[in-house]
Amino acid sequence: MSGVAIRLNGEPRALPGPWAIADLIDDLGFTGKRIAVEVNGQIVPRSHYGEIRLAADDRVEVVVAVGGG
Amino acid sequence: MGYMDTQCAGPLDTPFVMGGETFRSRLLVGTGKYRDFAQTRDAIEASGAQIVTVAIRRTNIGQEAGQPNLLEVIDPRRYTILPNTAGCYSAMEAVRTLRLGRELLDGHDLVKLEVLGSKETLFPNMPETLKAAEILVRDGFRVMVYCSDDPVQARMLEEIGCVAIMPLASLIGSGMGILNPWNLRIIIDQARVPVIVDAGVGTASDAAIAMELGCDGVLMNTAIAAAGDPVRMALAMRQGVEAGRNAFLAGRMPRREYQASPSSPAEGLLG
């Protein structure tokens, strides 16, 4: 299986294969955490993390709530 | 329940209804600039606030896994979390950010919109704010909106369907207090949705002044977080908002600019 090069939060990242979003989230240690995910500008509902597979050049954003006013 | 509210041992207030929800506290607080999460939690607790703002940011990949998350400290089951669009300079960035915020909060749609127009002053870009408000309202969000203290644009935002109008009192994070009470009065008098002073409050008397003007609430962050003792200042702000609100409801005495009036009887003085 060949690697998949994506952009994660603006930075290049190489995945070992066509991971599901859930695999990436797990790898990042965010499983079960309050995050939101966008792929190529489209929000991915949490319930779809297991189904959607990442492809080359996908732009993935993972966001959290931080302190702000 | 009668005239006296058993909880605060004072006369009853009218309910604070915003976006169809009723709130007890009229102080809204941010979560930025605190020393750590423990101080954030303690200050928010002391403030009595029910509505708490957060920012939406990219995760710091590789650094955060295992670290506590703000929403584990500020529990969304206990507080109404208000995602903001701080740092957004266009309508589309703001809309995108709030859609992510809604997903993050399981569909919760009460949000704080702010579209900035200047990095130095953080003044709002009102044309972009109006544009974003239209898109968000159409998309089903309940929009609380940071805006300039221009009564005409405040009315436009209300007509679009924003659930709260939030004019600045002075620049964000400046602590300069209420610089234009007259504009705020015009906005308050004409508005049919809650008006919340957002930005500029520096100390408890500023919060009281905002409430005495007739604002429905005050939103602040730096005034608490950058105080010498943020937890004590949070309590002072709570009391300032309550004092100002009660003074507004009570109706202040008329000003007598040229004539004093003794409080003690003028008769019966020792001859």
Side-chain angles (χ1 to χ4, degrees):
Chain A
M1 195 185 286
S2 59
V4 173
I6 62 165
R7 288 193 82 78
L8 175 61
N9 287 357
E11 301 288 333
R13 188 170 183 109
L15 306 181
W19 275 5
I21 292 170
D23 299 325
L24 176 63
I25 297 307
D26 190 45
D27 189 59
L28 296 171
F30 292 139
T31 302
K33 299 274 183 186
R34 269 193 188 271
I35 55 167
V37 176
E38 200 192 66
V39 176
N40 300 330
Q42 296 294 314
I43 286 173
V44 181
R46 207 163 302 158
S47 55
H48 295 186
Y49 288 174
E51 305 155 20
I52 296 183
R53 295 205 165 268
L54 296 168
D57 300 325
D58 275 351
R59 287 169 293 112
V60 181
E61 298 283 347
V62 182
V63 302
V64 285
V66 301
Chain B
M1 198 147 35
Y3 177 71
M4 302 297 274
D5 184 325
T6 49
Q7 264 231 300
C8 72
L12 282 175
D13 195 350
T14 46
F16 175 29
V17 181
M18 190 167 51
E21 282 180 72
T22 303
F23 298 95
R24 190 179 61 251
S25 171
R26 293 172 179 272
L27 173 57
L28 296 74
V29 297
T31 51
K33 300 183 183 174
Y34 285 99
R35 189 183 60 215
D36 51 32
F37 280 162
Q39 192 183 55
T40 313
R41 181 197 59 221
D42 293 348
I44 289 168
E45 172 87 41
S47 77
Q50 296 173 288
I51 301 177
V52 177
T53 65
V54 301
I56 305 296
R57 289 291 180 273
R58 283 173 163 171
T59 51
N60 228 339
I61 300 299
Q63 291 175 23
E64 266 179 40
Q67 293 289 101
N69 176 312
L70 177 64
L71 295 182
E72 289 164 10
V73 180
I74 308 299
D75 188 345
R77 285 167 300 187
R78 176 161 174 213
Y79 295 100
T80 296
I81 305 295
L82 195 65
N84 72 21
T85 60
C88 291
Y89 284 80
S90 72
M92 287 324 295
E93 281 174 65
V95 169
R96 182 183 176 198
T97 300
L98 291 178
R99 284 179 177 153
L100 281 165
R102 180 167 62 180
E103 172 62 21
L104 189 69
L105 293 164
D106 306 319
H108 173 75
D109 57 15
L110 187 67
V111 294
K112 170 178 162 176
L113 170 65
E114 60 180 293
V115 185
L116 302 175
S118 157
K119 288 196 159 48
E120 290 73 39
T121 63
L122 302 180
F123 254 110
N125 178 330
M126 290 306 296
E128 289 292 302
T129 301
L130 288 157
K131 203 197 303 181
E134 277 194 43
I135 297 168
L136 290 166
V137 168
R138 217 182 307 135
D139 205 5
F141 285 92
R142 290 173 298 157
V143 179
M144 300 169 65
V145 57
Y146 167 67
C147 55
S148 61
D149 63 1
D150 169 6
V152 176
Q153 293 184 104
R155 188 163 53 211
M156 288 174 177
L157 288 165
E158 184 176 340
E159 281 164 4
I160 286 169
C162 293
V163 301
I165 305 299
M166 306 204 290
L168 51 81
S170 51
L171 301 187
I172 292 176
S174 72
M176 290 292 288
I178 316 291
L179 296 189
N180 195 340
W182 308 105
N183 272 27
L184 290 178
R185 277 291 289 276
I186 298 170
I187 292 172
I188 291 162
D189 286 349
Q190 74 182 13
R192 284 153 299 172
V193 296
V195 175
I196 294 169
V197 156
D198 180 3
V201 164
T203 188
S205 53
D206 295 334
I209 289 169
M211 296 306 293
E212 286 173 12
L213 287 170
C215 286
D216 296 277
V218 181
L219 198 167
M220 66 180 74
N221 189 153
T222 310
I224 296 174
D229 178 347
V231 178
R232 187 174 289 275
M233 186 56 89
L235 173 65
M237 289 300 185
R238 173 188 195 155
Q239 292 166 332
V241 166
E242 284 176 4
R245 177 66 183 170
N246 279 317
F248 170 75
L249 291 173
R252 61 155 295 144
M253 63 164 281
R255 286 186 170 84
R256 296 162 64 97
E257 295 189 7
Y258 300 107
Q259 198 189 355
S261 168
S263 302
S264 309
E267 302 79 31
L269 287 165
L270 301 178

